């Protein structure tokens, strides 16, 4: 996905419109711009000493950089693919909660997924590395521990009625 165009990214990542790719590319451009501006400063400059490690910490917290990539040069090499892999939709699919990436998007929009204690219904939510372990079904979801869905309740009522008629 590294050198793919917008159409290929749309097909691979199951995004409904180019607007989501543009939004990711804009966020990536702002991150790169900050890194470029910090690299132009003297290594001993107070701004670079303060904002440089903060930017790197933020990139590591979101899983965009690994622990051994703690340099501003690596921030310039970030790709749209790495941002796409940190989206909630992609992680729900990779963790096996959904069979396809399309189904992952639907599960998220229908409020079946939560991150920690917070129910999230935005497929483009960027998940931090420490929060990735906390992705699970929401408490109110019939897929999790919630009450059964409409069809399951209807079938249970029919079984109960059928069992009551036979006696």
């Amino acid at each position: 996905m590294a050198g793919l165009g917008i159409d290929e990214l749309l097909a691979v990542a199951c995004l409904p419109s180019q607007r989501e790719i543009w939004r990711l590319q804009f966020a990536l451009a702002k991150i790169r711009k900050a890194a470029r501006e910090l690299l132009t400063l003297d290594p001993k400059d107070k701004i670079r000493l303060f904002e440089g490690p903060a930017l790197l910490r933020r990139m590591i917290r979101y899983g965009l950089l690994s622990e051994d990539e703690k340099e501003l040069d690596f921030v310039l090499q970030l790709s749209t693919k790495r941002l796409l892999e940190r989206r909630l939709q992609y992680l729900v699919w990779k963790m096996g909660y959904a069979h396809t990436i399309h189904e992952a998007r639907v599960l998220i929009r229908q409020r079946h997924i939560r991150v920690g204690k917070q129910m999230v219904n935005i497929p483009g939510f960027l998940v931090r590395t420490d929060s990735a372990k906390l992705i699970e079904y929401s408490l109110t979801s019939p897929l999790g521990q919630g009450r059964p869905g409409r069809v399951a309740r209807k079938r249970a009522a029919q079984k109960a009625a059928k069992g009551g008629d036979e006696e």
Side-chain angles (χ1 to χ4, degrees):
M1 263 201 285
L4 300 179
I6 290 181
D7 292 333
E8 289 88 3
L9 284 173
L10 282 172
V12 170
C14 175
L15 301 175
S17 67
Q18 291 182 0
R19 183 178 298 146
E20 295 198 35
I21 298 255
W22 295 336
R23 196 173 67 226
L24 285 173
Q25 288 175 340
F26 180 63
L28 191 57
K30 289 196 308 189
I31 292 167
R32 285 185 187 145
K33 181 181 178 185
R36 266 195 315 273
E37 288 175 357
L38 289 173
L39 281 170
T40 60
L41 299 174
D42 183 49
K44 303 282 186 214
D45 190 352
K46 288 183 179 180
I47 294 174
R48 182 170 174 175
L49 289 175
F50 181 74
E51 291 182 10
L55 178 65
L56 291 172
R57 251 191 330 269
R58 201 164 47 240
M59 296 300 106
I60 290 169
R61 187 182 320 135
Y62 277 101
L64 299 174
L65 293 177
S66 63
E67 286 289 334
D68 58 329
E69 298 176 330
K70 285 189 174 181
E71 293 181 24
L72 288 173
D73 293 330
F74 289 108
V75 176
L76 297 177
Q77 297 172 2
L78 284 176
S79 64
T80 311
K81 176 187 176 234
R82 280 218 174 149
L83 276 173
L84 284 171
E85 290 174 351
R86 296 308 304 167
R87 288 169 48 101
L88 180 62
Q89 175 182 357
Y90 184 83
L91 291 175
V92 166
W93 172 59
K94 277 296 184 187
M95 294 175 115
Y97 288 109
H99 296 106
T100 64
I101 201 160
H102 301 280
E103 184 184 2
R105 185 176 191 87
V106 171
L107 286 176
I108 294 166
R109 288 299 299 160
Q110 292 179 353
R111 304 168 59 105
H112 289 290
I113 302 294
R114 68 180 175 149
V115 179
K117 293 182 179 179
Q118 182 68 42
M119 194 279 307
V120 181
N121 67 345
I122 300 167
F125 179 77
L126 288 179
V127 181
R128 295 179 175 181
T129 51
D130 56 342
S131 299
K133 316 181 257 301
L134 304 175
I135 296 174
E136 56 189 13
Y137 289 117
S138 64
L139 296 174
T140 58
S141 171
L143 301 173
Q145 309 92 340
R147 99 180 210 193
R150 179 185 60 84
V151 175
R153 288 194 312 267
K154 186 175 179 182
R155 287 183 181 155
Q158 287 175 348
K159 272 188 180 177
K162 203 184 253 187
D165 292 341
E166 292 176 4
E167 290 178 12

